[in-house]
Amino acid sequence: MSISTYGELQTAIGNWLDDDNLTSRIPEFIALCEDRIGLDTRIRIRSMETSSDLTVNAQEVALPTGYVGHRRIYLSGNPVAVLNYEEPDNFWTSYMGSDTAKPRAFTVEGDNIVFGPSPDTTYTGKILYYKRFTAFADDADTNTLLTSARGLYLYGSLLEAATYLEDDVSILKWSALFDDIADKLKDADRMDRHPGRLRVRDPAVGVV
């Protein structure tokens, strides 16, 4: 059967579980799978990239809704000013003081982007970031990940079901299948971005 919408995904999971007692739990398994996907750093692919404007008028600006990781931030203008990312400890070593100026760097703490130096006026920032896929709600809901890698949602949801059932054998099986697709998504995205890069697979250590 086709698995391209939330409703079809629920039906497929029910078919694979073949247990009517679990039917009411299927939306929970999918929701937990969505959390797993959102937290898995291997799954940072082009279809998750979203751009947004930022009003940079204070040292801390709230992260965009659904943010799970950044690609770049720059301040628009002439010339454009690309901001360097710094890890929090290094950031505060450089920007602990009270000086204000046009920001040159940023870090992420809690739910905020922190700019350094603190802006001396209002700037328009542009952020390209990875946005978590919107959670499914209606049967017709879908997204590019479900249509291009439906096994990720299917195996991830079955993994959550196996965890609920405390079925250790199935946990290992579904986890391995989920991981295989996640790794392939990461590899495909990397090769798409860097098509000329030669990558060698060493069976002892994996991809080099």
Side-chain angles (χ1 to χ4, degrees):
M1 64 166 290
S2 173
I3 306 176
S4 60
T5 66
Y6 180 45
E8 292 173 350
L9 176 62
Q10 292 180 79
T11 299
I13 294 168
N15 291 340
W16 284 58
L17 289 174
D18 195 22
D19 186 342
D20 291 342
N21 292 324
L22 295 175
T23 300
S24 64
R25 297 286 185 182
I26 290 175
E28 298 173 17
F29 300 149
I30 295 173
L32 291 170
C33 174
E34 289 175 316
D35 288 344
R36 183 181 294 272
I37 290 170
L39 293 169
D40 195 323
T41 57
R42 293 171 298 180
I43 307 169
R44 298 291 182 264
I45 55 180
R46 281 189 298 108
S47 57
M48 297 174 69
E49 291 181 349
T50 302
S51 60
S52 179
D53 289 349
L54 296 172
T55 299
V56 183
N57 57 3
Q59 187 164 37
E60 295 187 358
V61 174
L63 288 167
T65 301
Y67 171 98
V68 291
H70 65 267
R71 289 272 287 145
R72 66 171 176 266
I73 299 178
Y74 67 87
L75 303 181
S76 61
N78 188 14
V80 168
V82 178
L83 304 186
N84 295 318
Y85 172 77
E86 295 190 15
E87 295 182 356
D89 289 347
N90 294 335
F91 177 90
W92 288 115
T93 297
S94 302
Y95 301 107
M96 183 69 77
S98 59
D99 292 344
T100 61
K102 187 175 185 178
R104 299 186 297 273
F106 74 98
T107 193
V108 176
E109 288 192 333
D111 293 326
N112 295 303
I113 304 168
V114 187
F115 295 95
S118 184
D120 55 351
T121 187
T122 298
Y123 297 92
T124 298
K126 303 283 187 178
I127 180 172
L128 179 66
Y129 66 101
Y130 293 110
K131 182 177 181 179
R132 178 174 175 159
F133 289 104
T134 301
F136 297 133
D138 298 323
D139 283 351
D141 286 351
T142 189
N143 62 40
T144 55
L145 188 60
L146 179 59
T147 56
S148 64
R150 52 197 169 190
L152 196 71
Y153 279 101
L154 177 62
Y155 299 144
S157 299
L158 292 171
L159 170 57
E160 300 300 343
T163 302
Y164 171 77
L165 295 170
E166 299 182 350
D167 182 345
D168 292 342
V169 173
S170 292
I171 287 172
L172 292 174
K173 177 173 66 175
W174 302 130
S175 179
L177 290 168
F178 178 92
D179 286 343
D180 180 61
I181 295 180
D183 287 338
K184 287 176 178 175
L185 280 170
K186 179 181 179 180
D187 287 348
D189 190 71
R190 184 177 299 171
M191 291 300 292
D192 183 49
R193 294 183 190 278
H194 309 286
R197 180 177 297 175
L198 177 65
R199 302 174 72 246
V200 179
R201 183 176 293 275
D202 184 328
V205 299
V207 176
V208 178

